[in-house]
Amino acid sequence: ADRSIDADFADAAAPVMIAGPCAIESEEQIEAVVDFLRRRNIRYIRGGAFKPRTSPDDFQGLGEQGLRIISASARPAGLKIVTEVMDRSQIEAVCRHADILQVGSRSMFNYTLLTALGSVDKPVLLKRGMAATVDEWLQAAEYVSRGGNDRIILCERGIRTFEPRCRNMLDIAAIAQVRHLSGYPVVADPSHAAGRRELVVPLALAAAAAGADGLMVELHPDPSTALSDREQALDFDQFDTLLKRLAGLRTAREGKA
Ligand code: PEP
Ligand code: MN
């Protein structure tokens, strides 16, 4: 088992960056992202092969072919792969390629999936359900840990509120709370909270200042062509701006700043 991932998230002096497209779309797309991340010493790439889309008409991901594309490009470059598993039946395939298994917001209440992930020897990035309370989220984590896997990373990605101007409301208080309540590392996903690219940088900065151990950000070589979550993807220049602004931030994390 590769314990370097657990160490990365536990000892982070600055939030660990996980970046990449919403969905794996092509070799060219992934190679461009891999090259960009490598030059900036970012060691975690994200990209979905199995996409839980709200509409069945939308792009559902490349499936196993997508996993092979991201593996072939990211692994030789030394990048760790974060990708979603939607169903128990996908665990074996996803485990062949992924370093961290993502459970999406729509799957947080899938207790058979959570239980099955309890017997996997890889970290699970557990996203908060879009309408889940903090306690429900922590109980979902408990399903994984009771199964024998305590390599859990919690991910706050915003919750539904009455406010339609952002896609979801990033719950900054929850970031601080679950770090204390669970002891697990907490990653913030400002992209799915924002829904629009101009809100991603301010939300990422807020999450980092609140003590997030990692940030997961959607990044695309050409957002205008993205097959999913087009409006919220940062392009390379915007991502560089984010890195610059993060470097200038003094965080509020106890014992870490
Ligand atoms: C994703 O990370 O692309 C995704 C589908 O996120 P969420 O489950 O938070 O909606
Ligand atoms: Mn997405």
Side-chain angles (χ1 to χ4, degrees), residues 22 46 51 192 218 229 232:
C22 180
R46 63 148 287 149
K51 296 302 302 176
H192 290 85
E218 286 188 343
D229 286 348
Q232 69 197 31

Side-chain angles (χ1 to χ4, degrees), residues 70-103:
I70 199 165
S71 245
S73 176
R75 207 158 287 291
L79 295 177
K80 308 266 187 216
I81 298 165
V82 183
T83 195
E84 176 157 357
V85 55
M86 284 170 64
D87 187 84
R88 271 191 305 174
S89 61
Q90 298 162 354
I91 291 178
E92 211 184 295
V94 171
C95 275
R96 273 199 295 276
H97 302 281
D99 297 288
I100 298 178
L101 281 66
Q102 174 174 328
V103 174

Side-chain angles (χ1 to χ4, degrees), residues 21-48:
C22 180
I24 300 157
E25 298 171 357
S26 68
E27 283 172 20
E28 299 69 41
Q29 174 219 32
I30 293 299
E31 273 164 21
V33 172
V34 164
D35 189 55
F36 176 87
L37 296 179
R38 219 167 34 88
R39 288 168 193 275
R40 283 151 187 82
N41 282 319
I42 292 170
R43 300 192 348 273
Y44 291 86
I45 186 169
R46 63 148 287 149

Side-chain angles (χ1 to χ4, degrees), residues 120-242:
V120 166
D121 189 19
K122 293 197 183 217
V124 172
L125 183 128
L126 178 61
K127 286 195 153 195
R128 181 182 184 178
M130 61 186 77
T133 65
V134 161
D135 286 327
E136 287 166 341
W137 187 19
L138 294 174
Q139 286 167 58
E142 188 83 18
Y143 271 91
V144 181
S145 66
R146 292 256 181 114
N149 183 2
D150 63 356
R151 305 177 70 188
I152 294 166
I153 299 167
L154 298 169
C155 178
E156 164 62 40
R157 48 78 77 203
I159 52 175
R160 281 201 167 158
T161 70
F162 55 85
E163 174 53 66
R165 280 187 175 269
C166 50
R167 185 178 181 186
N168 293 286
M169 188 71 73
L170 190 67
D171 187 352
I172 298 289
I175 295 170
Q177 283 187 83
V178 293
R179 282 185 84 239
H180 285 286
L181 290 171
S182 74
Y184 295 131
V186 180
V187 165
D189 170 352
S191 303
H192 290 85
R196 300 200 319 272
R197 64 180 55 79
E198 63 270 26
L199 291 177
V200 171
V201 172
L203 289 180
L205 292 169
D213 302 286
L215 292 172
M216 184 158 83
V217 176
E218 286 188 343
L219 168 71
H220 196 287
D222 181 5
S224 69
T225 67
L227 297 180
S228 61
D229 286 348
R230 179 179 302 174
E231 302 301 322
Q232 69 197 31
L234 298 186
D235 67 21
F236 290 159
D237 286 345
Q238 290 160 340
F239 193 85
D240 275 336
T241 300
L242 170 61

